[in-house]
Amino acid sequence: SDPVSVHLEDWPEIPEKLADDILVEEMAFARDVVEKAHALRKGTGVRLRQPLQQVELVNSPMTLSEGIADIVADELNVKEVTYVSDPKQDEFEVGLDLELTDELLVEGAAREIMREIQNLRRKAKYEFDQKVVVYWQTDDEKMNDVFEQYADEISGRTVCSLLMGTSDTADAESQADTELGSVSLAVIGG
């Protein structure tokens, strides 16, 4: 007879010959790296949406495969995973490159703006695929650079058209505060 629900079924047993011990070990190591890096980030107060240049694996006992390194980089919001040998110490450590270049700051600001637009969409109860208009206004010159460089990505990911200025008929309004400055946002259903 058919089971009532797959959710009530037991996990299948994996034959020993199919288990990939190397991959299992590599994934356990990758999880350890991610946990340590998240703890470092939390301790520094650098938001996860703010991209960083690299995570450094100092005296790493293992080199991650390209695919797993990409997953780690994506999870940590870093551009690359690097390996460093330090003969002065024996222990494995995880480090983050916390230098925020202008390029990284602009990208981080764009992500913060996208997050705030999505919050406004939820607040205004728009449908997921409903096209909206977002008005934006800022006095911070560097924030203008964010919209100049990331307008297409912001529009595409948040299903909106961007217009510089303000609106008296907004369905929801907010302010996004970033490392580069602030921007006022207002959304109107399209």
Side-chain angles (χ1 to χ4, degrees), residues 13-110:
E13 293 293 322
I14 299 175
E16 189 67 34
K17 63 183 178 188
L18 295 180
D20 186 339
D21 293 337
I22 294 170
L23 180 60
V24 169
E25 183 180 339
E26 186 178 15
M27 283 303 298
F29 178 69
R31 276 193 306 274
D32 184 47
V33 167
V34 168
E35 286 173 13
K36 287 178 178 180
H38 278 309
L40 281 173
R41 214 185 243 270
K42 188 175 184 178
T44 63
V46 177
R47 298 177 188 173
L48 188 56
R49 277 182 296 282
Q50 175 59 60
L52 298 175
Q53 186 57 44
Q54 64 187 1
V55 61
E56 298 170 340
L57 307 184
V58 181
N59 296 333
S60 179
M62 175 184 292
T63 300
L64 297 170
S65 65
E66 185 178 338
I68 302 297
D70 288 345
I71 292 170
V72 168
D74 189 51
E75 178 69 25
L76 296 175
N77 194 14
V78 297
K79 302 295 181 190
E80 62 185 334
V81 177
T82 60
Y83 300 87
V84 178
S85 292
D86 186 350
K88 298 176 193 162
Q89 68 181 45
D90 297 329
E91 295 179 17
F92 164 64
E93 286 187 8
V94 174
L96 290 171
D97 180 353
L98 297 172
E99 181 182 341
L100 297 176
T101 63
D102 288 344
E103 182 180 295
L104 291 171
L105 286 168
V106 168
E107 184 179 345

Side-chain angles (χ1 to χ4, degrees), residues 4 6 45 60 71 77 155 159 190:
V4 176
V6 295
S60 179
I71 292 170
N77 194 14
S155 295
V159 192

Side-chain angles (χ1 to χ4, degrees), residues 98-127:
L98 297 172
E99 181 182 341
L100 297 176
T101 63
D102 288 344
E103 182 180 295
L104 291 171
L105 286 168
V106 168
E107 184 179 345
R111 290 182 182 186
E112 191 65 36
I113 290 165
M114 286 185 270
R115 183 193 67 78
E116 194 59 41
I117 291 171
Q118 295 295 28
N119 286 343
L120 288 172
R121 289 177 62 87
R122 279 190 290 280
K123 184 177 175 183
K125 297 182 175 24
Y126 295 140
E127 294 295 320

